[in-house]
Amino acid sequence: MKRIFCILIAIWTIWILPAQDYDGWIEKAMNAVEKDSLYEAEKYFKNALNTDPANMRNAMLLSNLGTIQRRMGKNKEAIESYTLAINKSPHSVTMLLNRASLYLEMDHLDKAYSDYCNVIDLDRRNIEALQFRAYIYMRRRQYPEAKADYRSLLEEEPGNKTARVGLVMVNQKEHRYREALDALNLLVTDYPKDASLLKARAEIEVEMNTLDLALLDLENAARITPHDADIYVMCGDIYMAQGKKREAYVAYEKAVDLGIPRPQLQDKLKASKK
């Protein structure tokens, strides 16, 4: 009986030890994350996965490992970890979004697009997926598709600024300038301290050849962000289009003073001095 009891104890120990080690490695990994010891955290997550490869929690561990590797700049390894996590849990919106955002960061647009589409198939109201799929459509110049996603975003969040600006950009690309301006006017009213909106409106006004209005918007933008060198480059370009070379030269020099390398504006400076 003593021998049988010892065998049972040994079997129980062999069975329970991996589970204890698994949880122990996870605890060590989480403590390392809290201390921002990413290399240690990566090692401990891998130890947990190797300890119990069949554990149902491994999908989450692999996703966490991917995020740690991403923070370490190990993007290739992070993609591999995210992919293994998704293989174990293919309907996880969070894991798909994690991989999609990293693909997007790496400029792998097609792969990011596929993941965002899968997220929307699972959750057609997902704000993040709609927003970034619309961005990808814009990069691809698929403007009707981008418009559809931005409109879906606005159905979920009527005041979504990104979607509102996105629709302005779509209308601008499609030369629907009046619609773009109407929408921008509302945005400027809602966000009067956002200089980027004034710059965007100035760009459309330039395309519409209402140059004085564009200059007025840029002057107002410069009051909000006086150190924005791009504003003065835009002003210089408008002055050149108006034949006002002296004003253009002054604007370009101001842009150089604010940090734009002189060689980058050398041609514009020469043209404005002739």
Side-chain angles (χ1 to χ4, degrees):
M1 286 296 294
K2 183 183 289 186
R3 183 163 179 255
I4 293 172
F5 179 75
C6 289
I7 292 171
L8 290 174
I9 289 293
I11 292 173
W12 180 83
T13 301
I14 292 171
W15 177 79
I16 197 66
L17 186 58
Q20 291 175 333
D21 287 345
Y22 182 85
D23 290 333
W25 288 126
I26 294 174
E27 184 177 354
K28 286 186 175 182
M30 298 309 296
N31 288 336
V33 170
E34 289 181 6
K35 297 176 182 177
D36 209 31
S37 301
L38 302 184
Y39 286 95
E40 292 293 313
E42 180 188 32
K43 179 177 70 176
Y44 294 144
F45 275 129
K46 287 182 176 179
N47 287 347
L49 292 164
N50 290 332
T51 298
D52 191 356
N55 196 293
M56 293 178 63
R57 290 181 285 168
N58 282 350
M60 184 58 67
L61 256 63
L62 284 162
S63 182
N64 290 339
L65 175 61
T67 299
I68 292 297
Q69 291 166 329
R70 180 176 183 175
R71 290 176 58 189
M72 295 165 64
K74 300 166 72 170
N75 288 344
K76 182 179 178 181
E77 291 90 337
I79 289 292
E80 291 173 356
S81 296
Y82 285 145
T83 299
L84 289 171
I86 291 167
N87 289 343
K88 292 179 178 292
S89 185
H91 301 301
S92 171
V93 166
T94 299
M95 293 175 191
L96 285 166
L97 288 174
N98 284 341
R99 188 174 68 176
S101 66
L102 182 51
Y103 275 140
L104 195 59
E105 184 180 306
M106 297 167 70
D107 208 35
H108 295 169
L109 296 188
D110 290 344
K111 292 178 178 179
Y113 171 79
S114 178
D115 278 346
Y116 286 128
C117 286
N118 287 333
V119 169
I120 292 169
D121 286 341
L122 294 166
D123 176 12
R124 65 182 182 84
R125 297 180 175 180
N126 189 280
I127 299 297
E128 182 177 344
L130 286 168
Q131 177 175 319
F132 286 108
R133 190 173 73 171
Y135 167 78
I136 293 171
Y137 281 137
M138 290 295 292
R139 290 276 302 272
R140 291 175 169 181
R141 300 182 181 179
Q142 294 177 253
Y143 302 128
E145 290 84 355
K147 182 181 290 188
D149 276 354
Y150 284 134
R151 284 177 172 168
S152 295
L153 263 174
L154 289 173
E155 288 177 4
E156 299 305 315
E157 292 185 356
N160 188 290
K161 186 180 179 182
T162 298
R164 294 171 68 187
V165 172
L167 285 176
V168 168
M169 293 171 62
V170 170
N171 285 325
Q172 181 180 1
K173 295 295 185 182
E174 294 181 336
H175 306 295
R176 300 175 183 272
Y177 297 128
R178 180 45 55 191
E179 293 178 44
L181 277 179
D182 289 344
L184 262 177
N185 290 339
L186 292 173
L187 278 161
V188 169
T189 299
D190 291 342
Y191 303 96
K193 299 299 183 181
D194 189 337
S196 68
L197 297 175
L198 293 169
K199 290 166 66 177
R201 189 164 67 181
E203 288 179 2
I204 295 173
E205 288 162 345
V206 167
E207 292 183 32
M208 296 176 69
N209 202 34
T210 53
L211 301 184
D212 289 334
L213 289 176
L215 283 172
L216 182 61
D217 273 337
L218 292 173
E219 288 171 8
N220 289 330
R223 291 191 187 96
I224 298 170
T225 54
H227 301 295
D228 186 342
D230 289 334
I231 292 175
Y232 294 94
V233 175
M234 293 174 68
C235 287
D237 291 345
I238 293 172
Y239 286 133
M240 285 296 291
Q242 293 177 325
K244 300 177 181 179
K245 291 187 177 183
R246 182 178 178 280
E247 290 86 344
Y249 181 81
V250 171
Y252 292 140
E253 282 290 351
K254 179 68 173 179
V256 171
D257 290 342
L258 289 174
I260 292 184
R262 183 173 292 275
Q264 186 176 322
L265 294 179
Q266 195 63 46
D267 291 341
K268 293 178 184 289
L269 286 165
K270 285 181 179 179
S272 62
K273 286 186 74 174
K274 290 179 180 178

